[in-house]
Structure formats: structure tokens, C-alpha cells
Amino acid sequence: MSKRLPLSHRWQLLKQAVAPQLAQMWPGITLIGLVALARLLGLLQPLEWTALDNLMRWRAPEAPEPRVLIVGITEADIRRVGRYPIPDRELAALLRRLQQYQPRAIGLDLVRDLVVEPGHRELVEAFRANQNLLAVERTFADRSGAVVKPPPSLPPERVCLADVYLDADGHLRRILLGAWTARGYQFSLSLCLAAQYLEREQIFLENGTRDLSAIRFGAVELPRALPNSGGYVRAAGDENQTLLNFRSGRQPFRVVSLTEIEQGRVEPGWIRDRIVIIGVTAPSVQDTVNTAAIAGVNPGQAYGVEIHAHAASQILSAVLDRRPLLRDWSEGWEYLWLVGWGLVGIGLSQGIASPLKLLLALGLAGAGLGVASYGALLVGWWLPVVPALLALVLNGTLFASFYRYDQSLKSQIAASQLGMQERQQVIDHTFDAIHNGPLQTLAQMLKAAQAQEAAPNTWFAKLKHLDEELRAVYEAVGKEVATHSQSLYLGSNLAIDLAAPVDKLLSQAYRNALARDLPCFKTLEVKVYQFEPLRNCVLSFEQKRGLYRFLEEALCNVGKHATGVTCLRVIGAQEQGWYRLRVMDNGAGLPPQTQAGVATAQRIGTQQAENLAQQLGGRFRRAPQPPQGTLCELSWPVSRAWRWRPSRWW
């Protein structure tokens, strides 16, 4: 049983396997880094805003919000009254009529810092009588430095903020919840209306628990929109804001006019126990905000009173109906999401060769990304879809082009080197075949000549055998090189299948070598051989050919030079992550006076074995075996032959 590799060794093997793949992926990783950098610099911010608007506009329509009623002052109301701003008397009459229906809260989204006679005294009395009335002021100065003051007759605790923050493209996506002003910390109109409504439900406004600076109603905490939330990069505004999850549909709220209220043409149930927000819905007054997230009668714009209704409804629906609020991932998760889709693009470009199939796969992956982002938005998560889509598409197109160019360049280089490699293979194969065949015969003849023991008829037989071997070398090398065969040709009719397992190949080399007519084999009494299967190792045909030639050479050396050998042991075994192939004999070897004649042949065989060991990443050694004999050993780490192939994964 082989022992498990040490952790350090396995780590080195993993690095050796992964490093080439990472080197090949560096253009794609660079593209991912460029997309991440563009996002960090805010270059993708407008695209992310547009993607968010489109995803929100594509949502299925929701039922109208029953808890909020908008009273709009229309163009028809202004023509009936005869001027704008409408007189204080008209506004006082509206408040008295609404109060008869007992709403929970009334929000007055009108500028009322100046007296508009006639009827100012009546309006002051209406303010005093309607304790659930909330009015607005604007504390953020415009370009001219102007602000909007609250009605002077209204107590400060009933004055709320009507300020909004617009993004750089002029659209509204965040709603103000609270801010520090000259009078202390004040809440927005939408938050005050929602808080007043929820007090009847015994749900009160508190500080957050996960975020102490956030606002909480019961178990629902309103997530703050920070400068880098979602697709924002260094967004303006340090006040307490939250992303506005607009209510979808063309008619998210019931809207009635000033005239309809005064003439009593409304259902009492529309007002009783509801939030009523009074504002202008006349285009001539231009109290509008740009937004592309809702599909209204006039797409791209919404009246200010509608924005307050959306914000108040968002809070009520989150607390009472568990409607999701818009949240965002932490920046770490967002960039991990980006990298993940970039790697998908790299994988597709490497794994799909056909341009048409690649475009189809990229289309399907992009559609999957869009569906995932849309589904996440439905449950309240704003994911960075634009950077992820850019990383996917760029790596699927530009990286694919680079990868194809790189592969083409490598193919051209390989083709230019192929001729040299083939010529070198011819030389190597011819050399090996001559060394292990005719040269062995010549060495045997030289040894016999030195001993002066060969008769003339024996010389003739050996020369005839040498002629046959040379002709066989010519035919075998020609077949191997010309056909790029997976076989090792040993003669006209003998071929070794290199696709066979290593242990079978070594067994065949052992049998073929011992079948040769070599003098020292005649004294053998004990022959032991065993070849264990090679596990966790993949060898090329050239490496298998080298192993066959190595064992053949080692055994022929025993047959030629191991004088008086009686015991031969040939063992191939896997030990501690290495495969060791040993040839051990107990022969006396050559006498000193005869070693010079075969020194050159031995050096050639040693060089062959050392080259093979280098290819396998292993070692070769030849050493004497006390008290008599020789050890010839080739060993290599079986794990190094493993290589990671992308085709296994794509």
C-alpha cells in the first residue's frame, strides 16, 4: 500500500497544476479588474441607475394602496378658483370637510409661508382644529440660496421636511427620512405621516438595533442608503435616507380633486382612518420630480405629492404587510458577485470553440443574470447587474478573441517546430534501435573475439544475424516515424502496443529480453520478476517507449556482462508516491582488462537512462551490490505525471 503524500507535497502539486491555468487566464482577470476599477471610479453609476429603474418598472402591477389618499389640486380646480396659490379660505374649507371624515393623518404638501387672502383667519382656525395635520418646510437651499418656511401659525412639532435628494442624472431614487436642521433633528413628511398612522397600531418610532443610526418600527428597521450603497459611488447627502421602493402599477394610489371633496363626491371610507396627502397635480405649477422607476400617465415624472405617498406607503407596507424594503449587499459580496460572473465568461470562452455557440451561451448566461437580478429585486435586494454583465460579456468576447489568437500563435510556433521534432525523433528512434539491437550483437562478437572462442562458422552466423537486425531497424523506425504509431516496432513482424498498461509493457520487455541468445543468461538458476500496476500516473507513449528500452538495455547488460550470474530479480513497485523499477543480479561483471572495450556502450546506455529519468522528473542510479552483483534502478514520482486539463471541467 502506498502512503498518502505529505500536505506540503500536495500543495506543491496543486500549485504546479493551477499556475499554468492562472497564467493563461490573466487577460480575463485583467478585464475583471478593469470593470471593478470602473465601478470604483463611479463610471458605471449611471448605467446601474438605469438598470434599477428598468427592473422596477418591469415589475407586475400592485393593488392600489388603500391606506393613502391623494387630494390633488388640478388645473380644473385652479380655473374654478381663479388663481394660484388658492386662497386661504378654500384651503380652510378643504381641511374642515376632510376632518368630518376623521382621517388618521393629513399631510399638507403646499407652500404656505405667506398669507393668501381672503380667509387667512379661517385657515389659522383650521390649523388649530386639525391636530392630526402636518405641514412642510424645505431647509435645503436651492441654487439661489432660497428656502421654504413653514406656515407661521403651525406649531414646530407639526412641521416636517419636504426636501429630496436628486441623483446626478436628475432622478429621484432615495427618500429623506430625517436630518439635522436649525431647529434640531426633524423628520420627513412621509415618515411623520407613517409614524402617526402606526401609533394607532401601537407601533412606535424607535432607533435601530442592527444599525443604531437607523429608524425602526417594531421589528422592521429601515435600511439606510449610504454613499456607496448599491450602484452609488460617493453619493451626496449624509442625512438619514433610504432607497425608495416605488409602488408599481399605473394607478398606485386613489386620487381625488379639491372640487370632488368640496362637493362631497367621495366615499367616506376612502378617507376615514386613512392618510390624506394634499398637493398640487396641475402641470402648470410644475411641482414634479423626475423618476424613471414608475410607469405613470406621464412616464419619467411624478408629482411631489405622489412621491410622499410612495414613501409613506413603503413604510406602512413594510411594517404591516412585510413588503420588502430595498437593501444592498456589502461591497465585498458585490465584488465577489462581479468576479464570479467574470469567471463564467472566461470558462465559456475557453470551453466553447464555436463562435455561434459561444454567443448563444453568453446570451443564456446574460439572461440568467438578468433573471437573477430581477428576482432579487422582487425580494428587496439591489444587485450590481451592470458590472457583472460587463465582466461576463467582455470575458466572453474579448477574452475569447485573445484566447483564440494565443492558441493560433502557439499552433504556428508548434507547427514550425514540428519538423525539427520529427527529425529529432527519427534520430532518437534510430539510435535506440541500433543501440539495443545491432550494437549489442557487435559487443557480443567483440567479447568473443577477445576470448578467441568463436569458430569461423559462428562468425558467419553472427554476421548474418547482424544483417537481419540492421534491416529490421530500418523497417521498424520507418513505421514508427512515418505513421506516428502507438506501437513500438521491434522487427518486421513484432510490435509492442504502447497503449497497454505499464506493468504489461514491462512484462513483455522482460520476456523479450530474456529470450535473446546472450551468454550470461545461460548460467541463470533463479529468475524473479514482478511488476505492480502503475496507479495515479498517466505516461505518454514516448515515456512508455523509453521505459521499455530502459528495461531492455538493463537486462541485456546482465546477459552480456554479468559473468557467473545465477540469480536475477526484476521488480517494479510503487512506494511512498514513487514508482521504482529495479534490475538486480549477483554476477561478477567484466574483468578489468575487458572493460575498456565496452565503456563507450555503457556510457550511451547510462545517458539514455538519465534522459528518461529527467523526462519523468525522477532519478537513475547504477551501483554495485555487495558482496557481488549490480543494481540498476529507475524511479520517478507518480503524482508529477498528472496534469490538470481544462477539458475535464468544461
Side-chain angles (χ1 to χ4, degrees):
M1 294 293 291
S2 61
K3 298 182 180 178
R4 297 189 61 178
L5 294 175
L7 183 60
S8 59
H9 191 188
R10 281 183 285 170
W11 174 246
Q12 291 297 326
L13 293 174
L14 179 62
K15 288 199 299 184
Q16 291 174 5
V18 174
Q21 307 305 319
L22 292 179
Q24 193 178 58
M25 290 167 56
W26 73 263
I29 296 173
T30 302
L31 286 176
I32 295 174
L34 290 176
V35 173
L37 179 62
R39 187 171 192 265
L40 280 172
L41 295 176
L43 302 180
L44 304 182
Q45 190 172 230
L47 295 175
E48 294 204 65
W49 291 341
T50 302
L52 174 64
D53 294 339
N54 288 327
L55 290 175
M56 296 192 71
R57 196 168 58 249
W58 294 339
R59 294 175 300 170
E62 297 178 79
E65 170 61 83
R67 294 174 290 244
V68 178
L69 175 71
I70 295 176
V71 177
I73 299 175
T74 64
E75 292 287 356
D77 295 330
I78 294 175
R79 286 196 298 270
R80 181 181 62 80
V81 173
R83 60 173 172 158
Y84 187 85
I86 64 173
D88 289 349
R89 178 173 295 164
E90 291 287 338
L91 189 55
L94 173 63
L95 294 176
R96 286 195 299 269
R97 179 60 64 90
L98 288 174
Q99 198 61 39
Q100 293 176 3
Y101 296 108
Q102 299 178 350
R104 283 199 192 185
I106 300 176
L108 185 62
D109 184 31
L110 295 173
V111 175
R112 223 61 193 176
D113 56 342
L114 298 176
V115 175
V116 184
E117 294 288 2
H120 179 65
R121 187 181 296 275
E122 297 175 39
L123 181 60
V124 172
E125 182 61 31
F127 282 168
R128 186 180 300 113
N130 289 272
Q131 295 298 314
N132 59 350
L133 174 69
L134 300 170
V136 296
E137 67 171 328
R138 293 188 178 180
T139 60
F140 299 164
D142 60 12
R143 293 180 180 179
S144 64
V147 296
V148 177
K149 295 182 179 180
S153 57
L154 205 62
E157 62 271 13
R158 291 164 59 189
V159 176
C160 307
L161 299 177
D163 300 274
V164 294
Y165 269 114
L166 299 180
D167 294 331
D169 60 353
H171 286 64
L172 178 75
R173 299 178 182 87
R174 298 169 291 166
I175 192 68
L176 185 69
L177 298 176
W180 287 99
T181 67
R183 296 209 307 268
Y185 197 83
Q186 288 183 264
F187 295 113
S188 66
L189 175 62
S190 55
L191 182 67
C192 292
L193 291 171
Q196 194 162 311
Y197 185 95
L198 292 171
E199 282 182 4
R200 293 275 192 93
E201 308 292 333
Q202 299 300 307
I203 302 174
F204 302 98
L205 188 152
E206 301 175 275
N207 286 105
T209 54
R210 293 182 294 273
D211 181 0
L212 297 180
S213 298
I215 293 172
R216 176 172 60 91
F217 288 99
V220 177
E221 189 169 297
L222 306 182
R224 288 194 299 154
L226 301 175
N228 291 322
S229 290
Y232 287 97
V233 178
R234 298 179 296 278
D238 296 328
E239 292 76 13
N240 196 333
Q241 306 175 69
T242 190
L243 294 170
L244 185 52
N245 190 5
F246 291 93
R247 199 170 188 88
S248 62
R250 298 185 64 86
Q251 292 182 331
F253 305 100
R254 181 177 284 114
V255 182
V256 298
S257 66
L258 173 65
T259 302
E260 288 177 313
I261 294 291
E262 290 186 351
Q263 295 177 357
R265 292 189 285 117
V266 296
E267 294 289 339
W270 296 354
I271 303 175
R272 183 175 294 110
D273 216 27
R274 304 288 193 262
I275 291 176
V276 178
I277 308 177
I278 305 169
V280 178
T281 57
S284 62
V285 180
Q286 295 184 347
D287 182 18
T288 58
V289 176
N290 291 329
T291 176
I294 56 177
V297 176
N298 185 13
Q301 287 189 335
Y303 293 110
V305 65
E306 292 179 316
I307 296 300
H308 292 299
H310 277 286
S313 171
Q314 169 176 291
I315 298 172
L316 295 180
S317 300
V319 176
L320 300 176
D321 304 333
R322 295 296 184 264
R323 183 175 181 264
L325 296 162
L326 280 186
R327 306 173 185 272
D328 63 288
W329 280 348
S330 65
E331 290 193 71
W333 283 108
E334 288 179 344
Y335 285 100
L336 186 62
W337 165 268
L338 186 157
V339 170
W341 283 103
L343 293 177
V344 170
I346 293 175
L348 292 177
S349 64
Q350 281 191 319
I352 302 177
S354 168
L356 183 60
K357 291 181 180 180
L358 177 59
L359 290 177
L360 178 61
L362 286 175
L364 293 175
L369 170 59
V371 170
S373 301
Y374 179 75
L377 185 70
L378 294 180
V379 296
W381 291 100
W382 181 15
L383 304 185
V385 59
V386 171
L389 185 61
L390 277 177
L392 171 68
V393 173
L394 289 178
N395 275 320
T397 54
L398 295 183
F399 178 77
S401 301
F402 178 87
Y403 181 73
R404 301 291 183 269
Y405 172 77
D406 181 64
Q407 293 297 104
S408 175
L409 185 61
K410 288 180 179 178
S411 298
Q412 293 176 10
I413 295 174
S416 65
Q417 295 176 346
L418 184 59
M420 296 179 60
Q421 291 177 352
E422 289 183 347
R423 287 192 295 271
Q424 186 62 40
Q425 283 183 359
V426 172
I427 295 172
D428 292 342
H429 292 180
T430 305
F431 180 84
D432 289 344
I434 292 175
H435 175 267
N436 292 338
L439 287 183
Q440 301 295 338
T441 302
L442 284 175
Q444 187 177 358
M445 293 173 65
L446 288 173
K447 182 180 178 182
Q450 287 178 343
Q452 297 181 353
E453 59 183 21
N457 57 346
T458 304
W459 284 103
F460 177 78
K462 290 187 178 294
L463 287 172
K464 184 179 179 180
H465 181 63
L466 180 60
D467 177 69
E468 293 173 354
E469 286 185 327
L470 287 172
R471 294 179 185 277
V473 166
Y474 174 80
E475 294 178 5
V477 172
K479 289 180 180 179
E480 289 185 32
V481 176
T483 63
H484 302 282
S485 176
Q486 299 179 3
S487 300
L488 172 62
Y489 290 89
L490 302 180
S492 302
N493 302 316
L494 182 59
I496 305 299
D497 183 12
L498 296 177
V502 172
D503 56 319
K504 305 298 183 184
L505 191 68
L506 295 176
S507 298
Q508 197 162 4
Y510 173 85
R511 290 193 296 270
N512 291 341
L514 262 69
R516 300 181 67 164
D517 183 21
L518 297 176
C520 294
F521 285 159
K522 298 176 181 179
T523 61
L524 278 175
E525 299 176 358
V526 178
K527 292 177 287 187
V528 177
Y529 75 98
Q530 178 183 4
F531 301 105
E532 293 184 0
L534 186 61
R535 298 181 297 273
N536 303 323
C537 183
V538 179
L539 298 180
S540 67
F541 293 135
E542 285 300 316
Q543 290 170 335
K544 287 185 175 181
R545 180 181 283 107
L547 285 175
Y548 185 98
R549 293 297 192 187
F550 165 78
L551 184 57
E552 181 184 51
E553 161 74 8
L555 291 172
C556 285
N557 283 337
V558 173
K560 293 181 298 181
H561 308 307
T563 305
V565 62
T566 59
C567 178
L568 174 65
R569 290 187 297 163
V570 184
I571 305 296
Q574 194 162 318
E575 302 171 356
Q576 299 181 351
W578 288 67
Y579 195 91
R580 304 184 189 277
L581 181 58
R582 301 185 184 96
V583 177
M584 297 167 283
D585 68 83
N586 64 347
L590 290 175
Q593 63 272 18
T594 62
Q595 289 181 359
V598 293
T600 301
Q602 287 184 337
R603 284 197 300 269
I604 293 173
T606 301
Q607 186 62 48
Q608 286 181 332
E610 290 177 348
N611 290 340
L612 177 60
Q614 185 177 8
Q615 292 177 21
L616 296 172
R619 297 187 295 265
F620 166 73
R621 68 187 179 109
R622 180 183 284 116
Q625 285 280 92
Q628 179 175 291
T630 304
L631 167 67
C632 184
E633 180 185 77
L634 176 69
S635 59
W636 69 94
V638 295
S639 300
R640 272 191 203 166
W642 179 84
R643 292 290 184 269
W644 183 74
R645 299 190 179 109
S647 59
R648 293 184 179 179
W649 303 95
W650 308 128

